[in-house]
């Protein structure tokens, strides 16, 4: 029952993976959003974020890439594939993302503080960035 005492129809929960499997990469629009705790529902046309429109395998790949701090060497280790395979997949995913729209979003996102010198040196030691990239980042943080 909702707040007004009217019986509500409980819709089965659809997992995100099921939705992306169902849509098979085709564009889709979400037309209703319901906040679980309050039961408030909003109807309209909401385009899901670009990353949500990727297939589940690509979403996992992007998540792993972020978790590995963009280290292709780490991605090679995680997925057991070669550098060219990782680069090819990244290129394919990048082609599906409209970067112009992403830039508009980035401009409104707080990226937090700049990395510390220790963070930059750690990334350099792990081979995630080159010495030149480390110097550039250290100069920016001054």
């Amino acid at each position: 029952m909702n707040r007004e005492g009217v019986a509500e129809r409980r819709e089965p929960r659809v997992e995100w993976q099921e939705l992306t499997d169902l849509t098979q990469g085709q564009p889709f629009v979400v037309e209703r959003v319901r906040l679980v705790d309050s039961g408030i529902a909003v109807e309209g046309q909401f385009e899901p974020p670009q990353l949500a429109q990727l297939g589940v395998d690509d979403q996992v790949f992007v998540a792993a890439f972020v978790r590995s701090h963009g280290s292709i060497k780490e991605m090679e280790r995680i997925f057991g594939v070669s550098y060219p395979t990782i680069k090819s997949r990244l290129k394919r995913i990048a082609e599906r993302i409209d970067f112009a729209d992403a830039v508009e979003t980035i401009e409104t996102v707080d990226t937090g503080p700049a990395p510390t010198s220790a963070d930059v040196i750690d990334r350099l030691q792990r081979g995630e960035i080159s010495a030149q990239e480390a110097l550039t980042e250290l100069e920016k943080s001054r």
Side-chain angles (χ1 to χ4, degrees):
M1 297 244 176
N2 64 17
R3 292 182 187 160
E4 292 79 31
V6 177
E8 287 186 75
R9 177 176 65 111
R10 284 274 186 212
E11 297 174 17
R13 183 173 180 201
V14 176
E15 296 294 327
W16 195 252
Q17 182 175 351
E18 292 176 53
L19 180 59
T20 55
D21 287 347
L22 178 68
T23 59
Q24 297 180 347
Q26 297 299 312
F28 64 94
V29 175
V30 176
E31 292 187 344
R32 185 169 191 260
V33 175
R34 184 174 52 87
L35 303 174
V36 176
D37 292 339
S38 68
I40 295 173
V42 179
E43 293 190 16
Q45 288 194 350
F46 311 98
E47 187 172 316
Q50 291 183 42
L51 293 176
Q53 295 177 40
L54 295 174
V56 173
D57 290 346
D58 286 342
Q59 289 179 28
V60 169
F61 189 85
V62 169
F65 189 71
V66 171
R67 294 283 311 254
S68 70
H69 304 282
S71 168
I72 293 180
K73 285 183 181 188
E74 181 65 10
M75 294 293 286
E76 289 175 280
R77 187 191 66 73
I78 291 169
F79 291 98
V81 296
S82 67
Y83 178 93
T85 302
I86 298 295
K87 290 294 284 185
S88 174
R89 186 146 185 203
L90 286 170
K91 183 177 187 238
R92 183 178 53 78
I93 292 170
E95 288 170 351
R96 295 201 50 214
I97 297 173
D98 182 0
F99 193 68
D101 287 345
V103 169
E104 290 177 19
T105 303
I106 289 170
E107 291 173 357
T108 63
V109 173
D110 180 11
T111 58
T116 65
S117 298
D119 291 336
V120 173
I121 292 168
D122 286 344
R123 290 178 45 223
L124 176 61
Q125 288 175 333
R126 289 191 303 262
E128 295 175 5
I129 58 175
S130 69
Q132 185 58 49
E133 290 169 320
L135 288 172
T136 302
E137 287 190 33
L138 290 170
E139 289 173 3
K140 284 183 191 175
S141 65
R142 287 186 184 177

